Amino acid sequence: MKKQLQVGLIGYGHAGKTFHAPLIAATPGLKLAAIASSRPLAVGADWPDVGVEPDAEALIARRDLDLVVIATPNDSHAPLARAALLAGRNVVVDKPFTLTAAEAEGLAALAAQNGRLLSVFHNARWHADFIAVRAAIAAGRIGAVRQFESRIDRFRPEVRPRWREGAQAGAGLWYDFGPHLVDQALQLFGVPQTVWADLALRRDGALSDDDVHVVLGYRELRVVLGVSNLVVGGGHRFLVHGSSGSLVVDGVDSQAEQLRAGMRPGHPAWAFDARQMTLYTGTDGEPRKQHVDLPRGEYTAYYAGIRDALLGVGPNPVMPSDAVAVMRVIEAAISSSKSGQRIGL
């Protein structure tokens, strides 16, 4: 690389510390140059050679940055992205892109008008299980897909004192994990015709949705998305039924847990996933059962793609139009849950 692209990160909470900072730093051609945080001691302990800015405004104002990454609470994504784009910066926004489809559409239009790169960190596209499921569907391993179920379940019966579980705009499981589930579904099947949702508060003292059931309607396909904090022992991550077979994947992708534990890309065990996908095939007699090893996940592909897009040698790994489509489904589900009606898209 002739030039290292200078990257500034806004926010050093869970998303910034666990995902963005280490993945940016591990990407050849990118340099984590500055972090805006109210916790300078925490930043300095982890990244002693990285500059610390007191707030987002100071970081956005730096003229040496090629990219600004926004990893702040969900309700600040849209205003910070807008400020960065107006300042002439290229921008990556952590999911969810925004809180409303109108905000998403406005940011996409602003980026296009200013000729700036705008992308959203839909890193679940690079989960090992999704890579395997996508490949199996594309190869016709289970025929034409008729029902696709995708869930992220945990057992967290106590409401914790943090913004993600509070009453503020953008809190709750649908804004937290919904963008992952929706983006994966749209990557496989495109935009649905209808959305029906039940976003519920099940736990004692819950302030935002902690149990989610969403159905995306297609002409010959039903997609069921779910998230819950009240599932003991977990469940199927993917359960897909086709015209000539089914596939099942349990458990969760390894990369997030590795990052939380301090492992970084480049470690020999990085992105190794010991889980398997189970394929049930055959339309006559006893179905055949086959276990398929999962590939390694590819979180590192996202920021490598951002680097290449900034250098003009590759496409934006997550286009604004994709992220806008996700927000339209997210918003439709909220409307459906409030009204009890199926929403057309």
Side-chain angles (χ1 to χ4, degrees):
M1 291 287 175
K2 292 183 178 180
K3 174 190 175 184
Q4 279 197 315
L5 299 170
Q6 306 294 298
V7 182
L9 172 62
I10 301 175
Y12 201 64
H14 174 68
K17 174 183 173 70
T18 305
F19 294 94
H20 294 280
L23 291 174
I24 293 165
T27 303
L30 297 184
K31 177 179 174 55
L32 183 60
I35 297 175
S37 174
S38 60
R39 302 188 302 135
L41 295 180
V43 174
D46 293 340
W47 305 98
D49 298 327
V50 174
V52 182
E53 297 292 348
D55 52 41
E57 291 74 16
L59 187 139
I60 290 171
R62 287 181 56 147
R63 294 186 173 275
D64 61 325
L65 298 178
D66 299 290
L67 176 69
V68 169
V69 177
I70 297 169
T72 53
N74 296 343
D75 58 356
S76 66
H77 287 183
L80 287 176
R82 179 174 176 79
L85 289 168
L86 287 172
R89 307 291 173 251
N90 299 297
V91 177
V92 163
V93 186
D94 193 54
K95 60 79 199 166
F97 184 16
T98 56
L99 297 189
T100 68
E103 288 176 335
E105 291 162 0
L107 290 177
L110 181 60
Q113 291 165 8
N114 290 1
R116 299 290 89 187
L117 179 138
L118 175 63
S119 188
V120 178
F121 188 61
H122 281 302
N123 58 307
R125 293 187 187 185
W126 292 277
H127 282 174
D129 45 23
F130 181 67
I131 293 170
V133 168
R134 189 175 195 171
I137 291 173
R141 300 288 297 274
I142 59 171
V145 176
R146 298 301 185 222
Q147 178 146 320
F148 178 90
E149 298 184 28
S150 175
R151 297 195 58 88
I152 299 176
D153 292 321
R154 299 104 46 101
F155 186 62
R156 294 182 178 176
E158 303 295 329
V159 177
R160 295 178 292 175
R162 58 179 195 150
W163 70 261
R164 292 182 187 276
E165 298 182 52
Q168 72 187 71
L173 288 184
W174 184 233
Y175 274 115
D176 193 4
F177 291 106
H180 285 320
L181 302 181
V182 172
D183 183 65
Q184 288 180 336
L186 268 56
Q187 286 297 295
L188 291 174
F189 309 116
V191 176
Q193 281 77 51
T194 60
V195 179
W196 179 89
D198 179 16
L199 312 181
L201 285 69
R202 306 287 190 203
R203 297 176 298 172
D204 291 339
L207 300 173
S208 53
D209 56 85
D210 56 12
D211 186 87
V212 170
H213 182 78
V214 176
V215 179
L216 308 183
Y218 298 80
R219 286 185 177 85
E220 296 181 346
L221 165 69
R222 178 190 295 117
V223 171
V224 181
L225 309 178
V227 194
S228 178
N229 277 331
L230 286 174
V231 177
V232 180
H236 296 316
R237 176 63 187 87
F238 291 104
L239 178 60
V240 189
H241 303 299
S243 58
S244 62
S246 297
L247 64 83
V248 182
V249 185
D250 295 335
V252 295
D253 186 83
S254 65
Q255 293 168 98
E257 291 304 318
Q258 289 176 334
L259 287 169
R260 291 188 188 99
M263 185 185 294
R264 299 290 180 260
H267 188 283
W270 167 252
F272 173 75
D273 201 312
R275 295 176 297 153
Q276 292 183 316
M277 175 174 63
T278 303
L279 282 168
Y280 298 90
T281 57
T283 56
D284 53 340
E286 191 70 20
R288 294 182 295 276
K289 181 178 180 180
Q290 179 183 3
H291 296 294
V292 180
D293 291 336
L294 296 184
R296 287 182 184 252
E298 298 177 356
Y299 275 0
T300 52
Y302 178 78
Y303 274 110
I306 291 293
R307 174 203 63 210
D308 292 347
L310 290 173
L311 293 174
V313 297
N316 184 339
V318 178
M319 295 292 293
S321 56
D322 289 351
V324 168
V326 169
M327 290 314 305
R328 288 174 179 155
V329 175
I330 293 291
E331 190 172 66
I334 295 170
S335 296
S336 173
S337 185
K338 289 178 179 178
S339 67
Q341 303 297 312
R342 195 177 305 272
I343 304 297
L345 291 179

